[in-house]
Every structure is written in C-alpha cells, then in structure tokens.
Amino acid sequence: MAGGLLLVTAYGFVAIPLRAWLLGVDPALLAVITGSRPALVAVGATARVGEGPWLWPLLGGILSIVKFHWVFWWAGRLWGDAALTRVGGDSPRALRRITRAKAFVRRYQAVAIVLTYVPLPVARELVIVALGTARGRFRTFVLLDVATAAATQTVCVLLGAWLGAAAVVVVKQYALYAGWVAIAALLVMTVAAVRSWRARVSTRS
C-alpha cells in the first residue's frame, strides 16, 4: 500500500504539466488520463459544434477520476491515523483539519463521499483516507464514489455543451500557449521540490 501511495504521488507530479499541455492540445485525451473537469467542459463544447466525440471521453473521465481512490481508502483502513497524517500532514493546522474530517466522516459517511467532488478547503484524498478509517463497507464506498463521479462528470460535459462555440474559442486560444504554460508549471514544481529538499537537508544538519 505504501508503494501505491508513492505511485499516486508520482502520477500527480507528472500530471500537472501534462494537464496544462493537453487541455489545449487534446482535451478528450486529458479527460481520459486525469478525469479533468475543465477538459470535460471542453469535450462537451467541441462535441456541441461537431468537432469531437463526447461519450468515450466522458466514460474515461469517470473511471479516471476514481482510479486511485481505492488506494487512499485502503490506506486509511490499514494504517488509521498514521495514514491521515501522512496524507494531511502533522502540523497543528493539519491536525485540526484531520480531526474535523474524521468527526464529519464518522457521522455522515455517504455525504462525505459526495462532498469529495465539491471544491472544499479539505483535500479529497484526506476525506477518502478518513472514510477508510471509519470502517465502512468498501463496496458501498466504491458504488457511491462511482455514482457521484458519473453525475458530476456528466454535468461538466453538459456545461460545455451549453457553452458551445464560446468555450471552443477559449480552448483554441489557450492551445496557442499550452506548451509554454506546461513548461512554466514544470519549472515551478522543480523549484518547489528543490527548496523542499534543501529545507530537509538543513533541518537534518
């Protein structure tokens, strides 16, 4: 399970510049690889004007957004609070966030699954780990997770279809600069990683 968490972390690192590039180059492929909501909005828009498919990117986007959730759920089930601090951090502020997440999840497990798809100040992965620590049924978690993913991802495609040509214009304009945006994202991530490494080295010494 530790290897699974490392794989998810590495995937997330690589996916950030990839998202920035593919959103302008091939939003359908981006939706399948990462489950990106902006990509699905673009998919709906291009499908509306007859410039691309929508069904297979939507199905791929549903599966993609849930693909690693089981790793976090099982991490919480197996490691308990240790998994929560590993994902959420161990600073005083992070511990307060973890405590609130645990309390909410234990009372409202089904609602918590739905809320992981709503932009909140608490990371989705932290809530999913907390769901694992709550000792709920894995089958129930998977069914609710996939159902909520299907509903929210479909809404994104429908939003793109409603926006239509206006969204397509934005995507095409963004495509002109997508490569530079991806390079900038990679540089920012590299600088942040180097600074983090230097901070750890100085702390140890």
Side-chain angles (χ1 to χ4, degrees), residues 100-117:
R100 289 195 297 268
K102 286 173 59 179
F104 184 84
V105 163
R106 285 173 180 172
R107 292 188 62 185
Y108 309 106
Q109 291 191 33
V111 176
I113 295 173
V114 175
L115 289 180
T116 59
Y117 290 88

Side-chain angles (χ1 to χ4, degrees), residues 1-103:
M1 192 56 63
L5 289 177
L6 289 174
L7 175 62
V8 173
T9 302
Y11 178 88
F13 187 86
V14 173
I16 291 176
L18 185 65
R19 286 172 184 264
W21 178 65
L22 280 179
L23 182 59
V25 176
D26 194 337
L29 182 57
L30 175 60
V32 172
I33 294 175
T34 67
S36 166
R37 292 173 181 176
L40 285 172
V41 172
V43 164
T46 54
R48 174 66 183 274
V49 299
E51 294 185 6
W54 64 270
L55 181 57
W56 68 262
L58 172 59
L59 295 177
I62 293 170
L63 294 177
S64 185
I65 201 170
V66 303
K67 61 182 176 296
F68 291 134
H69 290 179
W70 67 273
V71 175
F72 292 100
W73 192 94
W74 275 108
R77 184 66 174 265
L78 295 174
W79 297 335
D81 288 350
L84 286 168
T85 55
R86 181 163 185 167
V87 172
D90 57 2
S91 67
R93 182 178 180 182
L95 292 176
R96 288 194 297 269
R97 189 183 300 118
I98 289 171
T99 300
R100 289 195 297 268
K102 286 173 59 179

